[in-house]
């Protein structure tokens, strides 16, 4: 039986898993902003910046497939610890970056380290999300509430990480920030090892072979396709386009100007992620979902997917009409992207519930791993298109491409 190792106090186990996930995502958000802003300040082009994150996303595709199998063999606690250890290793490795290296060597090294961080993130994510399926109450809409709280709070913490990374870069510098985060994450790992209650869902005795990586449930596969395009629609403007555009608009080129721009860009990115996380956590209340049938939630998923499509197209049109940066355009972009975040968060939260509702408890780590593999594929596509579209057509092309990805997500959701 899969539930035989569930702790006697599932709420305490859920709290411990959530705390470990929070710590990881704080460092993950901070590391992303550190790398993005540091190398943008060094003069990297949008495409070069996108390359820095490609292996991070590519590693997620392979990791999510392997993580489900590893968790089935060795237990969710083992994969959660493994994610934390790898993130510490990535932070320490990045401190060895030498400013005297060639551009190709620097890009290659940072890509490799980011790849390790990508493996770490998806080990931690798959472990935490799968644990919720096994720990949440089976009735009364408990699964939707618990997964919404975990996902929403995680993203709020990651948003704080974005601001933390920008602030550390401005105040302490690149290497000092990396060492500080590595030490703090090591202390948190030690605390989790000491206080995580015994009995976190562990090895599944009847785990399937590696060949069973793809779900046998067509709903899981279709939801995964919708998820891929959904996150592509977000990352195509989020990864490179908006940070580079805002930094170009806000910085006057001086050291003080760049430092001020770091804080403002980091603050906006943090605000967006925090607001996104709060909406995710409140999604069951917003949707008035209290133990309703899966079919009703699927209908809501289709409606909210359709609501996302016009937003990036409208923003792209505004950028092209403006022709050049302007105060009214900046205000409109901030407001429009916050609206995008609200609708995106509802979509994401519904998806996170549906994958656990659709997933077979006997192979939940495999279904969740496949689903987050699609998530990582969407982020990979979005990351690549973010750099390419910004370099070819600026922010307007980034946003128009996001609209196309949102449209494809809606078309995939309709098949649910």
């Amino acid at each position: 039986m899969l539930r035989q190792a569930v702790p006697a106090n599932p709420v305490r186990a859920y709290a411990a898993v959530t705390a470990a996930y929070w710590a990881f995502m704080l460092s993950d958000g901070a590391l992303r902003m550190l790398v993005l802003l540091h190398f943008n300040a060094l003069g990297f082009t949008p495409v070069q910046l996108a390359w820095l994150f490609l292996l991070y996303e590519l590693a997620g595709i392979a990791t999510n497939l392997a993580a489900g199998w590893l968790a089935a063999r060795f237990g969710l606690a083992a994969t959660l610890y493994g994610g934390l250890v790898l993130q510490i290793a990535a932070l320490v490795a990045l401190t060895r970056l030498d400013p005297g290296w060639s551009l190709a060597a620097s890009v290659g090294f940072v890509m490799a380290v980011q790849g390790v961080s990508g493996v770490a993130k998806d080990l931690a994510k798959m472990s935490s999300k799968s644990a919720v399926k096994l720990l949440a109450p089976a009735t009364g809409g408990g699964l939707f509430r618990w997964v919404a709280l975990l996902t929403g709070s995680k993203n709020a913490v990651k948003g704080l990480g974005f601001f933390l990374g920008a602030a550390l870069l401005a105040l302490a510098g690149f290497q000092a920030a990396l060492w500080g985060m590595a030490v703090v994450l090591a202390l948190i790992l030690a605390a989790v090892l000491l206080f995580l209650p015994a009995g976190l869902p562990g090895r599944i005795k009847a785990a399937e072979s590696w060949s069973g990586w793809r779900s046998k449930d067509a709903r899981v596969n279709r939801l995964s396709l919708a998820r891929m395009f959904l996150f592509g629609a977000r990352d195509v403007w989020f990864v490179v386009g908006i940070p580079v555009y805002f930094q170009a608009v806000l910085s006057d080129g001086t050291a003080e100007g760049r430092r001020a721009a770091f804080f403002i860009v980091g603050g906006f990115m943090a605000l967006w992620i925090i607001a996104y996380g709060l909406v995710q956590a409140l999604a069951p209340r917003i949707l008035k979902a209290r133990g309703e049938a899966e079919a009703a939630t699927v209908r809501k998923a289709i409606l909210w997917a359709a609501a996302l499509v016009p937003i990036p197209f409208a923003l792209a049109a505004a950028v092209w009409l403006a022709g050049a940066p302007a105060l009214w355009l900046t205000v409109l972009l901030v407001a429009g992207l916050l609206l995008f975040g609200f609708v995106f968060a509802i979509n994401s939260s519904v998806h996170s519930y549906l994958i656990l509702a659709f997933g077979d408890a006997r192979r939940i780590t495999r279904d969740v791993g496949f689903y987050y593999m699609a998530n990582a594929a969407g982020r990979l596509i979005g990351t690549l298109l973010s750099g390419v579209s910004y370099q070819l057509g600026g922010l307007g092309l980034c946003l128009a491409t996001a609209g196309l990805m949102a449209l494809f997500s809606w078309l995939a959701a309709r098949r649910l």
Side-chain angles (χ1 to χ4, degrees):
M1 290 288 293
L2 185 61
R3 283 189 175 265
Q4 65 183 356
V6 175
N9 188 344
V11 174
R12 182 185 170 196
Y14 173 79
V17 168
T18 301
Y21 197 28
W22 281 356
F24 182 92
M25 296 312 298
L26 185 69
S27 72
D28 187 68
L31 180 58
R32 177 171 284 265
M33 287 306 291
L34 273 173
V35 170
L36 178 66
L37 296 178
H38 177 69
F39 287 97
N40 184 52
L42 292 179
F44 279 40
T45 68
V47 170
Q48 290 166 344
L49 290 173
W51 272 102
L52 296 179
F53 298 104
L54 282 183
L55 195 57
Y56 175 93
E57 306 299 354
L58 186 61
I61 297 175
T63 303
N64 277 299
L65 292 177
W69 181 83
L70 289 169
R73 285 291 185 271
F74 304 109
L76 295 174
T79 49
L80 180 61
Y81 297 149
L84 291 168
V85 169
L86 284 176
Q87 182 74 342
I88 294 167
L91 291 167
V92 172
L94 204 53
T95 65
R96 309 305 300 166
L97 181 67
D98 189 336
W101 290 350
S102 68
L103 176 63
S106 297
V107 170
F109 179 76
V110 176
M111 281 182 67
V113 174
Q114 285 289 94
V116 174
S117 182
V119 171
K121 183 200 73 173
D122 287 295
L123 283 174
K125 177 188 285 187
M126 186 283 307
S127 304
S128 303
K129 294 292 181 70
S130 297
V132 173
K133 171 73 172 181
L134 305 174
L135 296 170
T139 59
L143 179 59
F144 198 172
R145 292 198 309 274
W146 281 37
V147 74
L149 180 60
L150 175 70
T151 304
S153 62
K154 174 267 293 186
N155 282 309
V157 169
K158 185 173 182 177
L160 291 175
F162 273 77
F163 182 75
L164 176 65
L168 286 174
L169 181 61
L171 299 175
F174 188 65
Q175 286 204 338
L178 291 169
W179 277 115
M181 290 196 306
V183 170
V184 171
L185 201 57
L187 293 174
I188 291 169
L189 172 61
V192 172
L193 285 168
L194 288 173
F195 296 109
L196 188 68
L200 183 69
R203 181 181 181 273
I204 301 170
K205 293 182 179 179
E208 297 181 16
S209 67
W210 171 254
S211 61
W213 62 272
R214 190 172 183 269
S215 178
K216 299 177 177 65
D217 189 333
R219 299 173 303 170
V220 170
N221 296 325
R222 290 167 182 167
L223 180 64
S224 299
L225 184 63
R227 184 78 171 189
M228 181 182 76
F229 287 119
L230 177 69
F231 271 76
R234 193 275 305 268
D235 278 13
V236 76
W237 61 264
F238 188 83
V239 173
V240 172
I242 280 293
V244 171
Y245 173 82
F246 278 164
Q247 191 167 1
V249 169
L250 296 169
S251 176
D252 59 7
T254 66
E256 286 297 322
R258 285 194 299 270
R259 188 175 295 112
F262 288 162
F263 276 104
I264 296 172
V265 174
F268 172 74
M269 304 295 280
L271 173 64
W272 194 94
I273 291 287
I274 291 169
Y276 158 55
L278 291 175
V279 173
Q280 278 189 307
L282 295 173
R285 293 185 182 181
I286 294 170
L287 298 175
K288 297 181 172 61
R290 297 188 62 83
E292 64 185 11
E294 287 176 13
T297 307
V298 167
R299 286 194 294 272
K300 291 176 179 178
I302 297 170
L303 289 172
W304 282 93
L308 187 66
V309 177
I311 300 173
F313 281 130
L315 294 175
V319 171
W320 283 326
L321 285 172
L327 178 60
W328 69 266
L329 178 61
T330 300
V331 172
L332 180 63
L333 285 171
V334 170
L337 292 174
L338 289 175
L339 177 61
F340 181 100
F342 178 85
V343 181
F344 176 85
I346 298 293
N347 276 279
S348 180
S349 189
V350 172
H351 286 186
S352 294
Y353 161 71
L354 286 176
I355 185 57
L356 296 182
F358 291 163
D360 185 343
R362 292 168 298 179
R363 51 163 290 146
I364 188 60
T365 60
R366 309 298 295 278
D367 284 345
V368 171
F370 177 73
Y371 167 79
Y372 280 113
M373 179 275 294
N375 190 112
R379 292 174 61 100
L380 173 66
I381 295 167
T383 297
L384 179 59
L385 290 177
S386 187
V388 172
S389 60
Y390 190 89
Q391 189 143 330
L392 292 178
L395 185 60
L397 186 56
C398 275
L399 291 166
T401 306
L404 287 174
M405 299 290 277
L407 176 62
F408 293 147
S409 181
W410 172 63
L411 293 174
R414 289 183 63 194
R415 299 185 64 204
L416 289 172

